[in-house]
C-alpha cells in the first residue's frame, strides 16, 4: 500500500492536475500460466508471463495518457481467474480498468498468449485478444496486449507494435557519419540499415513498415532511394534522372510516392508509382513546394509552399487541383503531416523564437503548439493520432528524438545509441 | 601555357617575391652553375588549380540574405571572376554547393540550397562557362558553418 501511495504521488507530481484527473488507472497484475513449462526462448512460460506483464505496464505508462500499476507478485491469480477477475478487490484499490492474460506452451514449441481487458467499475469485459507466437516474439504479443488495453480505454489504436526509422549521427562537423537506423517504438530490435559511406536524410516508412524511402548523397546529389526492409535491396527512385529529389512520403496504400524535385531552381511536388511509371507533376508555382503528405483517405495532399513569401501550409486535391492556403498567423508553417485519423495536420512553426512543433485542424483552424523549441522540427504521427515523434536540436547542434502527446505534458526523450534526427513512425504492423 | 599557369599557381600560394627569386636563381644558375637554386614549392594537379582559382577569383563563396537566392553586387563580382578563371581552364570540373540556415526546416533547407546552387550555376553559365563544367548540389543545412546562407564553388578535377 505504501508503494501504491508513493506511485500515485509520483504520478501526481509528474503530470498537470487537469490531465491527472482525466487519466485512467489500469492494473496489470502478472499474467497467469496454466502450467510452468520451459520454452526455446530461455525463460519458462511463467518467466515470460512476468516479463510480458512488465512490458505491458511499461508500454501503457509511456503513453503518458494513463497510469498503469506495475505487476506485483502478491497479485498472482489462477488460470481460471483470467476470465473471472475479482472486481471488488480491484475496485477497492481505485483502479478503473484491469488487464489479465495468460501464457501457455503449445506442443509445437510456440506459445499461446491471451489478454483480456475489464472495466472494473462496471464489472464487464471491454475486449480480448490472442496470438500464437514463437517464444522469441513474446515482445510483439505483449505489445498487442498493450494495444488492446489502450484501444479499450482511449478508443484509438495503440502504437506499441510499431517501428521507428531515423538517422543515427556519430561524430561532428563535416566528419559526421549519418546512418539509417530502425527500431521498435520501445527501442528494442535496433539495427542500422546503411553503412554511413554516403550521407542519408529523411527516412520514410511505408504504412506497413515493409519499405523505406530516403534521401541519399550516394550520387553526390540528394536523390531519393528505396529500400526493401525484408531483402535489404536498394534502388534509386528515378534511375535515369539527374535532378535533385527529396521529401519522400508514401500514399496510405503504400503504392505511390509523393516527393519534391528541383528543376531550373524551381522545386515542385510530383507523384510516382512505387512499382514504376513516370513522375506526374502536381504543382507549378515558381516558389518552393515541398514536404507533401497524403490525407488518410488519399484524396488530398497537404504541402508547404513559400509562394506567398514565407513557408505556409497548403492543401490540394490528389491530382494537384484546388490548391489553397490553410495556415495563417505569425511566422512560417512548414513540414505538414496529416494524421492517420484524418482530423489534424502536424507542422513545424518557424518564428522569432525558433522552431516549435504543433498541430492544427485539417482546415487550418485551432492551432496548438506542443513544444517550446527553439530547435524542434519534423513531427510525425503515431498510429493512434494522439502522439507525435519529432527531432530536437540543442543550441550546441546535438540531435535527439522526442515524443509528445497531443493531450499535453512535456516532450519525453527517446533513448537511441547515438544522437538521432529525422524520425518517422510506422503504422501498426499486421 | 602550362608554364604560365604554374608560375601563377606559385604566385598564388607563396609570397610575392619568390617568383622573382626564382628568376634570379635561374640567372645565377647560368652564371654560377655549381650553386643550387633555392627550393621551389612543387604545386601540381588539383591543389595547384584550387590555389590559383581562389587567388584569382577572390573567393570560392558567395553569400545570400535570409532564405533568398538573389545574387547581390559582391556575389556577382565574385562569380564574374570565377567565370573568367573557369573559361581559361575549360578542363576543370566544378561542383557548386548551396547551403541553407540551421534555423530552416530540413526539406525546405534542401530546396533553398538547391535554388542557391542552381542560381550560381546559371550565373556562371550566363558568364560564358560551359554548362558541362558545372554541377549544382544542395547540401541543405547538413554542413553548417559560420555563415550558412552561402554557395561554395568547389573544384572537383
Amino acid at each position: 500500500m505504501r508503494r501504491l501511495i508513493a506511485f500515485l504521488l509520483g504520478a501526481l507530481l509528474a503530470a498537470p492536475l487537469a490531465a491527472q484527473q482525466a487519466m485512467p488507472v489500469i492494473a496489470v497484475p502478472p499474467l497467469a500460466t496454466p502450467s510452468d513449462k520451459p520454452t526455446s526462448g530461455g525463460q519458462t512460460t511463467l518467466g515470460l508471463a512476468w516479463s510480458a506483464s512488465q512490458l505491458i505496464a511499461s508500454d501503457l505508462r509511456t503513453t503518458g495518457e494513463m497510469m498503469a500499476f506495475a505487476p506485483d507478485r502478491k497479485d498472482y491469480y489462477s488460470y481460471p481467474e483470467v476470465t473471472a477477475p475479482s472486481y471488488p478487490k480491484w475496485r477497492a484499490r481505485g483502479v478503473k480498468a484491469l488487464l489479465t492474460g495468460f501464457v501457455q506452451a503449445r506442443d509445437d514449441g510456440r506459445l499461446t498468449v491471451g489478454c483480456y481487458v475489464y472495466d472494473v467499475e462496471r464489472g464487464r469485459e471491454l475486449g480480448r485478444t490472442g496470438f500464437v507466437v514463437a517464444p522469441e516474439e513474446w515482445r510483439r504479443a505483449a505489445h498487442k496486449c498493450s494495444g488492446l488495453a489502450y484501444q479499450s480505454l482511449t478508443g484509438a489504436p495503440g502504437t506499441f507494435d510499431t517501428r521507428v526509422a531515423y538517422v543515427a549521427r556519430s561524430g561532428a562537423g563535416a566528419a559526421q557519419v549519418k546512418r539509417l537506423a530502425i527500431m521498435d517504438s520501445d527501442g528494442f530490435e535496433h539495427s542500422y540499415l546503411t553503412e554511413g559511406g554516403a550521407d542519408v536524410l529523411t527516412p520514410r516508412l511505408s504504412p506497413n513498415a515493409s519499405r523505406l524511402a530516403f534521401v541519399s548523397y550516394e550520387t553526390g546529389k540528394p536523390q531519393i532511394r528505396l529500400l526493401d526492409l525484408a531483402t535489404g535491396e536498394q534502388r534509386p527512385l528515378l534511375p535515369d534522372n539527374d535532378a535533385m529529389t527529396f521529401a519522400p512520403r508514401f500514399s496510405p496504400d503504400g503504392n505511390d510516392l509523393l516527393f519534391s524535385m528541383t528543376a531550373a531552381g524551381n522545386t515542385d511536388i510530383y507523384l510516382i508509382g512505387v512499382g514504376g511509371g513516370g513522375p506526374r507533376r502536381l504543382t507549378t508555382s515558381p516558389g518552393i513546394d515541398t514536404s507533401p503528405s497524403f490525407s488518410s483517405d488519399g484524396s488530398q495532399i497537404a504541402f508547404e509552399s513559400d509562394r506567398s513569401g514565407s513557408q505556409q501550409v497548403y492543401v490540394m486535391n490528389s491530382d494537384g487541383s484546388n490548391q489553397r492556403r490553410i495556415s495563417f498567423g505569425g511566422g512560417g508553417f512548414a513540414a505538414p503531416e496529416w494524421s492517420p485519423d484524418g482530423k489534424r495536420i502536424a507542422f513545424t512553426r518557424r518564428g522569432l523564437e525558433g522552431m516549435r512543433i504543433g498541430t492544427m485542424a485539417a482546415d487550418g483552424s485551432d492551432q496548438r503548439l506542443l513544444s517550446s523549441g527553439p530547435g524542434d522540427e519534423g513531427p510525425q504521427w503515431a498510429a493512434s493520432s494522439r502522439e507525435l515523434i519529432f527531432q530536437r536540436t540543442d543550441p550546441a547542434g546535438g540531435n535527439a528524438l522526442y515524443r509528445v502527446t497531443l493531450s499535453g505534458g512535456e516532450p519525453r526523450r527517446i533513448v537511441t545509441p547515438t544522437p538521432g534526427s529525422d524520425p518517422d513512425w510506422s503504422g501498426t504492423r499486421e | 601555357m602550362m608554364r604560365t599557369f604554374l608560375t601563377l599557381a606559385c604566385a598564388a600560394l607563396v609570397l610575392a617575391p619568390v617568383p622573382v627569386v626564382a628568376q634570379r636563381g635561374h640567372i645565377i644558375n647560368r652564371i654560377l652553375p655549381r650553386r643550387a637554386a633555392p627550393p621551389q614549392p612543387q604545386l601540381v594537379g588539383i591543389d595547384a588549380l584550387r590555389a590559383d582559382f581562389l587567388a584569382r577569383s577572390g573567393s570560392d563563396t558567395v553569400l545570400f540574405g535570409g532564405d533568398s537566392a538573389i545574387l547581390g553586387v559582391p556575389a556577382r563580382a565574385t562569380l564574374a571572376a570565377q567565370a573568367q578563371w573557369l573559361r581559361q581552364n575549360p578542363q576543370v570540373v566544378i561542383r557548386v554547393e548551396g547551403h541553407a540556415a540551421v534555423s530552416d526546416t530540413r526539406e525546405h533547407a534542401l530546396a533553398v540550397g538547391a535554388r542557391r546552387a542552381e542560381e550560381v550555376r546559371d550565373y556562371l553559365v550566363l558568364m560564358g562557362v560551359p554548362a558541362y563544367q558545372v554541377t549544382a548540389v544542395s547540401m541543405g543545412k547538413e554542413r553548417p558553418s559560420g555563415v550558412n546562407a552561402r554557395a561554395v564553388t568547389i573544384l572537383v578535377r
Side-chain angles (χ1 to χ4, degrees), chain A residues 78-385:
Chain A
S78 67
Y79 181 58
E81 282 179 284
V82 170
T83 51
S86 166
Y87 291 119
K89 169 183 161 183
W90 294 108
R91 235 175 252 141
R93 294 202 195 170
V95 307
K96 182 182 189 309
L98 174 71
L99 185 144
T100 66
F102 64 90
V103 177
Q104 184 173 22
R106 288 161 49 103
D107 291 340
D108 64 3
R110 293 190 293 170
L111 306 172
T112 305
V113 179
C115 286
Y116 301 78
V117 176
Y118 299 98
D119 182 333
V120 169
E121 287 166 1
R122 298 210 175 89
R124 64 184 176 90
E125 182 185 316
L126 292 174
R128 63 172 73 184
T129 188
F131 317 93
V132 175
V133 295
E136 300 75 33
E137 290 190 321
W138 68 270
R139 297 185 66 87
R140 283 197 67 189
H143 287 321
K144 292 283 190 198
C145 291
S146 308
L148 172 72
Y150 185 81
Q151 182 137 33
S152 300
L153 295 185
T154 67
T159 57
F160 312 104
D161 189 28
T162 56
R163 308 212 84 194
V164 169
Y166 71 101
V167 173
R169 297 173 176 239
S170 45
Q176 187 174 62
V177 173
K178 301 186 184 87
R179 286 180 291 174
L180 291 180
I182 192 164
M183 61 186 180
D184 289 354
S185 60
D186 62 359
F188 281 77
E189 306 293 332
H190 186 285
S191 63
Y192 295 103
L193 301 172
T194 56
E195 304 281 345
D199 272 3
V200 289
L201 294 170
T202 62
R204 301 293 175 222
L205 288 157
S206 65
N208 64 1
S210 67
R211 269 202 195 98
L212 199 62
F214 63 102
V215 170
S216 168
Y217 279 81
E218 183 94 30
T219 60
K221 288 183 173 190
Q223 291 186 316
I224 297 170
R225 294 176 73 81
L226 296 170
L227 172 67
D228 185 311
L229 287 169
T231 64
E233 279 172 27
Q234 267 191 42
R235 64 178 171 90
L237 177 68
L238 302 174
D240 306 318
N241 198 315
D242 196 34
M244 288 181 260
T245 55
F246 48 94
R249 301 287 189 287
F250 283 97
S251 60
D253 63 9
N255 293 332
D256 295 309
L257 196 77
L258 287 166
F259 64 100
S260 276
M261 178 155 66
T262 301
N266 182 21
T267 297
D268 281 307
I269 292 167
Y270 295 76
L271 179 69
I272 192 171
V274 174
R280 195 152 60 86
R281 187 172 175 177
L282 299 181
T283 67
T284 54
S285 92
I288 291 172
D289 297 333
T290 189
S291 300
S293 169
F294 266 112
S295 63
S296 52
D297 65 1
S299 68
Q300 295 184 89
I301 297 166
F303 63 102
E304 70 164 75
S305 175
D306 62 3
R307 61 185 69 172
S308 73
S310 64
Q311 286 160 276
Q312 298 295 340
V313 176
Y314 289 70
V315 170
M316 61 183 168
N317 295 341
S318 59
D319 63 359
S321 64
N322 194 19
Q323 297 181 16
R324 57 206 185 270
R325 177 175 166 178
I326 64 160
S327 71
F328 296 91
F333 292 83
E337 292 289 342
W338 217 306
S339 66
D341 68 6
K343 291 178 183 162
R344 296 188 74 80
I345 293 173
F347 58 80
T348 305
R349 195 182 77 166
R350 279 181 81 186
L352 292 175
E353 78 287 5
M355 291 190 291
R356 302 167 72 181
I357 64 150
T359 69
M360 60 176 90
D363 64 0
S365 65
D366 189 29
Q367 287 172 15
R368 296 180 197 183
L369 290 169
L370 291 168
S371 78
S372 54
D376 300 340
E377 67 172 305
Q380 295 285 336
W381 290 95
S384 63
S385 298

Side-chain angles (χ1 to χ4, degrees), chain B residues 24-62:
Chain B
R24 213 178 273 158
H26 190 62
I27 295 162
I28 291 168
N29 275 347
R30 225 173 353 165
I31 300 166
L32 302 168
R34 290 189 178 180
R35 188 167 169 181
Q40 296 295 310
Q42 291 295 308
L43 289 181
V44 290
I46 192 71
D47 288 335
L49 289 166
R50 282 176 181 154
D52 188 50
F53 172 75
L54 204 55
R56 298 234 283 155
S57 307
S59 175
D60 60 354
T61 302
V62 295

Side-chain angles (χ1 to χ4, degrees), chain A residues 58-80:
Chain A
S58 160
D59 275 349
L60 296 175
R61 224 176 285 134
T62 58
T63 63
E65 293 187 78
M66 55 194 71
M67 279 198 288
F69 288 176
D72 188 324
R73 291 188 196 279
K74 72 175 166 20
D75 290 329
Y76 268 118
Y77 47 89
S78 67
Y79 181 58

